[in-house]
């Protein structure tokens, strides 16, 4: 977000430049009727000087009223009285500049209204014109400032919302199966006692998984190739515990560098092991199919289950995943089929849809 002070200064400076140009144009156009004998170069020069003089009245008026509006906290009746007092002083200053400086020193003539001397009635009319000129300007300044403040609040709200969502995502990612590490270490310990040849490979795979979860998963997005490699490492470690498990893993990726939020896809695999395969009494299976074509991801996991599976635990895991998908890919399509002997999960994400990035 841009610094508020600098942003405010730029906006107000631009406003006064545009306002000055507008007033110069209007007064220059009016002067050809008021002073038809003056050359246009003289009229333009006089108009520039005239509007600069008026800014000496208008700018203090605008920011005095803004200051009272934003900073002065008094009873409403006294606040209105202060507004009126500031406007009256500004009108008198406007009239003084017009009558005693503009006409005699800039235009070189006495101020009149339609050729008439400024009588009491005409003086009141001219003062009213000055009042309307100033009020018009004040309205523009307040409109610009209120709009700017609303935009600042909108940006701050968006930033806070984004930070809140980031924190929520971080919290949700941290809820991924906390027992995986401990179970794997126990298995490695058992393998080490047996002096199994696979022990170094398992340690290496665990190291890769931990590096991914600690460092790479902290990124907002990562290549789908790395995400799939992490899933494959996870599966290899799980095979140590599930000797009678049949796993079919199929991938067809046309763009390995396609970015995806890390730790989304693996959660479905974790659920398949935790709430399906680990509770199966017979031959367990997991079928995983990952297809990415033309920016559209189709991800399907099918795993065995027993009727005694803890459905409540499964729903908690899916609730976590659904929330992450809602935050990251609002237009995703997720279907979960809970059949008698298996779960079938299908996820579709369209990476071409910018609203889901």
């Amino acid at each position: 977000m841009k610094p508020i002070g600098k942003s405010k200064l730029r906006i107000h400076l631009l406003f006064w430049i545009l306002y000055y140009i507008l007033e110069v144009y209007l007064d220059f156009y009016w002067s050809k009727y008021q002073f038809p004998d003056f050359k246009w170069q003289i009229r333009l020069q006089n108009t520039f000087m005239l509007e600069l003089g008026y800014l000496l009245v208008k700018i203090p008026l605008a920011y005095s009223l803004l200051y009272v509006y934003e900073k002065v906290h008094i009873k409403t009746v006294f606040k209105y009285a202060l507004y009126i007092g500031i406007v009256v002083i500004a009108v008198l200053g406007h009239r003084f500049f017009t009558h005693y400086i503009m006409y005699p020193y800039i235009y070189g003539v006495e101020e009149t209204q339609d050729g008439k001397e400024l009588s009491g009635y005409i003086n009141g009319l001219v003062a009213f014109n000055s009042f309307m000129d100033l009020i018009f300007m004040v309205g523009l300044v307040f409109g610009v400032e209120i709009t700017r403040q609303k935009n600042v609040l909108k940006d701050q709200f968006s930033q806070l919302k984004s930070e809140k969502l980031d924190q929520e995502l971080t919290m949700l990612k941290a809820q991924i199966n906390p027992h995986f590490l401990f179970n794997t270490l126990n298995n490695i310990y058992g393998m080490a006692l047996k002096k199994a040849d696979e022990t170094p490979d398992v340690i290496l795979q665990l190291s890769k998984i931990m590096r991914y979860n600690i460092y790479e998963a902290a990124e907002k997005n990562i290549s789908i190739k790395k995400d799939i490699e992490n899933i494959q490492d996870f599966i290899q470690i799980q095979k140590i515990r599930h000797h009678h498990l049949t796993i079919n893993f199929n991938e067809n990726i046309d763009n390995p560098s396609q970015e995806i939020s890390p730790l989304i896809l693996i959660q479905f695999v974790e659920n398949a092991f935790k709430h399906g395969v680990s509770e199966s009494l017979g031959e367990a299976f997991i079928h995983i199919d990952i297809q990415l074509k033309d920016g559209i991801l189709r991800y399907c996991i099918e795993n065995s289950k027993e009727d005694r599976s803890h459905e409540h635990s499964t729903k908690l895991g899916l609730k976590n995943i659904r929330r992450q998908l809602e935050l990251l890919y609002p237009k995703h399509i997720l279907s979960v089929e809970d059949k008698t002997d298996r779960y079938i999960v299908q996820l579709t994400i369209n990476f071409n849809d910018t609203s889901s990035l």
Side-chain angles (χ1 to χ4, degrees):
M1 184 186 298
K2 295 179 180 179
I4 294 176
K6 292 183 178 179
S7 174
K8 179 177 180 179
L9 179 61
R10 282 194 294 267
I11 291 172
H12 281 256
L13 184 59
L14 178 61
F15 166 78
W16 287 114
I17 291 172
L18 294 176
Y19 177 79
Y20 178 74
I21 293 172
L22 173 64
E23 289 294 293
V24 167
Y25 169 77
L26 293 176
D27 274 336
F28 177 69
Y29 182 81
W30 164 81
S31 68
K32 70 180 181 180
Y33 299 103
Q34 185 76 1
F35 306 103
D37 297 332
F38 286 25
K39 292 182 179 181
W40 72 267
Q41 295 93 336
I42 300 299
R43 288 190 291 109
L44 182 60
Q45 177 183 321
N46 290 343
T47 303
F48 277 122
M49 295 174 60
L50 168 68
E51 291 305 325
L52 282 175
Y54 278 145
L55 285 183
L56 297 177
V57 175
K58 293 179 177 181
I59 291 177
L61 167 65
Y63 291 108
S64 295
L65 293 177
L66 274 175
Y67 182 82
V68 173
Y69 174 75
E70 295 176 347
K71 304 295 184 181
V72 178
H73 304 290
I74 54 177
K75 291 184 177 179
T76 304
V77 62
F78 295 114
K79 203 165 188 175
Y80 282 133
L82 191 54
Y83 285 143
I84 292 171
I86 293 172
V87 172
V88 168
I89 293 172
V91 170
L92 292 176
H94 190 278
R95 289 298 306 128
F96 178 87
F97 175 79
T98 302
H99 187 74
Y100 292 103
I101 298 176
M102 184 188 94
Y103 277 94
Y105 292 102
I106 296 179
Y107 290 121
V109 297
E110 291 293 324
E111 181 184 14
T112 61
Q113 186 74 5
D114 296 330
K116 299 178 182 179
E117 294 295 327
L118 297 181
S119 63
Y121 169 76
I122 295 177
N123 241 321
L125 182 62
V126 174
F128 179 75
N129 290 338
S130 295
F131 170 78
M132 293 304 296
D133 181 34
L134 295 175
I135 290 300
F136 172 72
M137 176 276 304
V138 168
L140 291 177
V141 173
F142 268 72
V144 168
E145 177 59 15
I146 291 173
T147 301
R148 185 197 67 80
Q149 290 179 4
K150 285 184 177 180
N151 289 332
V152 169
L153 289 175
K154 184 178 178 181
D155 290 343
Q156 290 176 341
F157 177 78
S158 297
Q159 185 177 14
L160 289 173
K161 184 178 179 181
S162 177
E163 290 174 355
K164 181 181 177 182
L165 293 181
D166 288 342
Q167 291 173 356
E168 185 175 354
L169 282 170
T170 301
M171 181 188 69
L172 289 170
K173 287 180 179 180
Q175 294 174 10
I176 298 171
N177 190 358
H179 302 294
F180 167 71
L181 175 61
F182 302 107
N183 289 334
T184 303
L185 290 174
N186 285 332
N187 288 323
I188 292 174
Y189 175 72
M191 294 172 68
L193 289 178
K194 296 177 182 179
K195 298 182 180 180
D197 295 337
E198 301 89 351
T199 304
D201 292 334
V202 175
I203 294 174
L204 179 61
Q205 287 167 343
L206 178 61
S207 173
K208 289 171 64 179
I209 290 175
M210 296 309 298
R211 186 186 303 113
Y212 183 89
N213 280 265
I214 295 172
Y215 297 109
E216 298 184 53
E219 300 294 328
K220 184 176 181 181
N221 290 303
I222 198 167
S223 72
I224 195 168
K225 178 183 177 182
K226 288 186 176 181
D227 210 49
I228 291 175
E229 288 175 355
N230 184 57
I231 294 174
Q232 292 172 329
D233 288 332
F234 177 82
I235 291 173
Q236 290 301 317
I237 289 180
Q238 289 289 358
K239 283 182 177 179
I240 302 170
R241 299 177 56 203
H242 307 284
H243 301 288
H244 302 291
L245 172 65
T246 300
I247 298 180
N248 293 319
F249 189 94
N250 179 48
E251 62 171 299
N252 186 8
I253 307 297
D254 66 354
N255 181 16
S257 62
Q258 170 65 56
E259 291 191 336
I260 187 172
S261 179
L263 303 179
I264 286 291
L265 302 182
I266 196 172
Q267 293 182 68
F268 293 102
V269 181
E270 286 187 330
N271 264 5
F273 278 98
K274 184 177 180 181
H275 303 300
V277 172
S278 63
E279 296 171 345
S280 295
L281 299 177
E283 288 293 326
F285 67 86
I286 296 179
H287 303 318
I288 302 173
D289 186 73
I290 304 176
Q291 306 285 331
L292 177 65
K293 185 177 181 180
D294 299 329
I296 299 176
L297 174 70
R298 291 181 173 86
Y299 182 45
C300 179
I301 295 185
E302 184 175 347
N303 65 274
S304 57
K305 57 164 279 196
E306 297 288 335
D307 289 337
R308 65 184 183 86
S309 295
H310 299 298
E311 194 173 312
H312 180 65
S313 299
T314 305
K315 287 183 177 180
L316 286 177
L318 283 174
K319 183 179 180 181
N320 183 325
I321 301 171
R322 287 184 190 276
R323 181 55 182 158
Q324 291 185 59
L325 287 169
E326 286 172 5
L327 296 174
L328 294 165
Y329 305 104
K331 294 187 178 181
H332 72 278
I333 301 173
L334 176 64
S335 67
V336 179
E337 295 182 63
D338 186 359
K339 296 187 176 183
T340 305
D341 62 339
R342 68 189 62 197
Y343 289 113
I344 302 175
V345 178
Q346 297 185 73
L347 171 66
T348 301
I349 298 175
N350 185 357
F351 293 110
N352 300 313
D353 185 356
T354 55
S355 65
S356 297
L357 298 179

